[in-house]
Amino acid sequence: MTSVEEPARPGERIRDAARTRAEILDVATQEFARAGYDGARVDEIAARTRTTKRMIYYYFGGKEQLFTAVLERAYGVIREAEQQLDVDHLDPVAAIRRLAELTFDHHEQHPDFIRLVSIENIHEAHHIAASEKLGKIGSPALDVIRRILAAGQESGLFTADVDAVDLHAMISSFCFFRVSNRHTFGALFGRDLLDRAQRAHYRAMLGDMVIAYLTAERTTD
């Protein structure tokens, strides 16, 4: 009796392709974060995966498209977390703190995301601007912020008339700096911004800054 290997069923082929793409993206994320866009090599990514350079080009088209796919997935992770954030049952002060903590936790847990964004800024957001997917993804956090700001102003808890994008930038700036500038800040000031013993302090400080900004009395000229 002759043994003939049974061909993979369509569903299995789809799952295999999905696994292969995910594996390529995992390794590519590490390689781009480590070496930057210019320094990363598709040959190296292929060598660290169970595939070939030819297959990487088959799935993604080329190095530029692969980096764009890496960015799309990286941004997709935090956008999904923002979409799942449930703060409607909280008062505006607690809600905005929770949103700030979400960004704080995500950036700390995903240092490769910080590196990728830094690299993309060096390239003046070329890949993001060219990505139809990233152009549509927006930020669910902005919708959440707008709802919280409206509730806070309606209740009288928030005295400041604050733009949601400005507040998003304020929160992101602190969270991003803490990870991206950890080493230079430590070398200059002798303090590790990711010191576990100080984590609760920095997390609370972020919320305190945001609330202080939202509740500050504004003077008009």
Side-chain angles (χ1 to χ4, degrees):
M1 181 176 180
T2 304
S3 176
V4 178
E5 184 177 349
E6 182 180 352
R9 297 184 178 92
E12 292 174 346
R13 289 197 296 269
I14 292 172
R15 285 193 295 272
D16 287 343
R19 281 196 295 268
T20 300
R21 283 179 57 90
E23 183 183 10
I24 293 170
L25 286 173
D26 287 342
V27 174
T29 295
Q30 298 167 10
E31 182 65 12
F32 282 121
R34 181 192 67 81
Y37 177 76
D38 292 329
R41 295 289 179 264
V42 176
D43 286 328
E44 177 66 20
I45 296 169
R48 292 176 54 196
T49 60
R50 293 172 296 176
T51 187
T52 63
K53 182 177 180 179
R54 179 180 178 183
M55 287 303 296
I56 291 176
Y57 285 140
Y58 171 79
Y59 282 117
F60 296 98
K63 179 180 176 180
E64 186 167 358
Q65 295 92 326
L66 177 59
F67 183 64
T68 299
V70 165
L71 286 173
E72 289 172 346
R73 191 176 70 159
Y75 273 101
V77 171
I78 188 168
R79 296 302 176 251
E80 182 178 356
E82 291 167 353
Q83 288 176 325
Q84 293 177 354
L85 182 65
D86 179 15
V87 295
D88 291 339
H89 63 290
L90 301 175
D91 69 80
V93 171
I96 207 69
R97 278 188 179 275
R98 182 67 194 93
L99 178 65
E101 290 167 355
L102 170 71
T103 305
F104 183 97
D105 294 344
H106 174 273
H107 285 20
E108 179 184 78
Q109 294 163 7
H110 297 85
D112 281 352
F113 172 73
I114 304 301
R115 297 187 187 100
L116 290 169
V117 173
S118 298
I119 292 163
E120 179 64 353
N121 272 286
I122 291 173
H123 291 272
E124 300 180 346
H126 168 77
H127 304 88
I128 290 178
S131 168
E132 182 177 347
K133 184 175 181 179
L134 284 172
K136 293 179 179 179
I137 199 170
S139 175
L142 292 180
D143 295 331
V144 176
I145 290 174
R146 290 187 182 104
R147 293 201 307 270
I148 297 172
L149 289 176
Q153 289 167 351
E154 184 178 352
S155 66
L157 290 171
F158 296 163
T159 57
D161 183 14
V162 177
D163 176 71
V165 177
D166 287 346
L167 189 61
H168 182 63
M170 179 182 180
I171 294 170
S172 297
S173 297
F174 181 87
C175 299
F176 196 95
F177 180 94
R178 179 170 168 264
V179 180
S180 68
N181 288 44
R182 173 190 187 183
H183 299 294
T184 52
F185 194 88
L188 291 170
F189 301 106
R191 182 170 297 179
D192 183 1
L193 294 174
L194 294 185
D195 182 357
R196 298 299 298 177
Q198 295 297 314
R199 183 179 189 275
H201 163 69
Y202 288 126
R203 202 167 184 258
M205 187 171 80
L206 170 62
D208 291 344
M209 288 191 300
V210 172
I211 298 304
Y213 179 61
L214 293 174
T215 59
E217 292 293 338
R218 295 293 191 270
T219 58
T220 57
D221 296 331

